[in-house]
Amino acid sequence: GDPVRVTQILVNLLSNAIKFTREGSVEFRITLKSHDKFKDIVKFEVIDTGVGIDAEDLPHIFEEFTRGKADNQKFEGTGLGLAITYKLVQLLQGEVKIASEVGAGSHFKAYLPFSHTTEIPAVQTLENQRIVPGNSKKELAGINVLLVDDDAQMLEMVEAVLNAEGMEVHAYNNPEKALQTYRKGDAQVLITDLQMPGIEGPDLHAQLMEKTAEPLPAILMSGKDAFGGKQLNDQFLGYVQKPFEPALLLNMLRLHVDEIRAGSGLTDLENTETTPAYRLDNIKKFLGEGTENLHHFLVSYTTNSLEHLALLADYNAQKNTVKIRELAHKMLNILHQLQATELIEIFMQLENTHPSKEEEAEYLQLTTRGIEGMQRLIEAICRDEGVQL
């Protein structure tokens, strides 16, 4: 399944239940609803004894900015959590249901399909590993990591694991951007995906060392059962095969911690990207300036844009240029209203280009630029317009 989206669904449902339950309990259940040759349907239930939802509100509870009358005066919030949950469940081709009564609590059920897969293979490395116990986070704390993976979700998950160990992580989903930005002493270890558009992991590593004329220990992540026949230099500590458990990657880092810590004189990566310009003039003509409608629009737009970026990252990883074009067309409507000129130019190219096989890598790189630009636009809107997601 999709661990990021499943996690977000459960976080939304559970945090909502806790928020609206001042006394009593919140119960969480997972059961197998059905099983066949190809997939399992798993039922996730969140049951609370909170304020509950009025019967007339139930048909609309998954719509944006909808909140039950029972809680409107007591709790803060935008009413977007359940709308986002509903959309995420739809993306996973699942179903979500609710039963509720004012004063008696709510019962949410999410049915999500999970495809069968073969047993996850054991991690493979370039040498025989011994297990290194990790009883203390201090052994990895402070290590500077350059993390590169064109899969945005994988990047986010690995970054979270490394941050939890106290490591300083500079994460990029564009290998060319990582190479362009990298300076001598910026990282003590590189963790990179094998297959990426533009520059593959081993080639990125070689170019980073050539650029700085200094050694850089590296770990390769790969969905393959081998490292693709690539010639790996002696700076590679090993590789982990996707999907992997976090402990396997941390174990490899602990195994080579002395070698990794040999670097010194580290500095923070410099962010040379500029924030795309935008204007709200056209939007305000429709919704007014400083109005609640304007604020609701900005919350809705930034929330939907985050979902679009997740889809774009998926399509980019799948090299699905048809889906990228379709989504670029959809995103352009509001970008025009926001007068975000730089992003309009990128997304118009994405919409109107039908890349040949030879042009595919360049097209996917442009998609990555669009994703990065949209991320900075969302951050700017949240910061400048007081939007909280």
Side-chain angles (χ1 to χ4, degrees), residues 108-232:
F108 285 87
K109 302 176 184 178
Y111 301 86
L112 300 179
F114 293 89
S115 300
H116 294 174
T117 183
T118 55
E119 183 180 355
I120 298 175
V123 65
Q124 305 217 14
T125 66
L126 302 183
E127 61 184 1
N128 293 325
Q129 283 197 54
R130 65 182 187 280
I131 298 299
V132 180
N135 296 326
S136 172
K137 291 184 178 180
K138 292 182 178 179
E139 57 193 320
L140 297 178
I143 290 177
N144 279 37
V145 180
L146 177 59
L147 176 64
V148 187
D149 195 321
D150 63 310
D151 184 329
Q153 294 178 341
M154 191 68 183
L155 188 76
E156 182 179 350
M157 289 189 292
V158 175
E159 182 179 10
V161 167
L162 300 178
N163 281 331
E165 295 293 317
M167 306 178 79
E168 298 292 331
V169 184
H170 310 289
Y172 291 84
N173 65 0
N174 183 334
E176 293 186 343
K177 180 60 183 174
L179 178 61
Q180 174 189 344
T181 310
Y182 187 74
R183 298 173 302 172
K184 185 172 184 177
D186 276 344
Q188 291 163 287
V189 61
L190 167 69
I191 301 177
T192 179
D193 187 31
L194 169 63
Q195 287 185 303
M196 298 182 290
I199 308 175
E200 293 198 337
D203 299 324
L204 171 64
H205 180 240
Q207 292 181 48
L208 287 170
M209 291 199 299
E210 182 179 353
K211 181 177 181 179
T212 60
E214 66 178 1
L216 178 64
I219 294 173
L220 197 64
M221 301 181 295
S222 173
K224 294 177 175 289
D225 57 3
F227 43 91
K230 290 283 183 181
Q231 294 298 315
L232 303 184

Side-chain angles (χ1 to χ4, degrees), residues 32 52 94-95 154 159 169 177 215 257 277 328 331 363 375:
L32 184 63
E95 183 181 13
M154 191 68 183
E159 182 179 10
V169 184
K177 180 60 183 174
V257 66
M331 295 173 70
Y363 183 86
Q375 288 172 333

Side-chain angles (χ1 to χ4, degrees), residues 234-250:
D234 57 9
Q235 285 292 303
F236 271 93
L237 307 176
Y239 86 102
V240 290
Q241 183 178 337
K242 298 178 181 179
F244 57 83
E245 294 182 9
L248 296 172
L249 177 60
L250 295 176

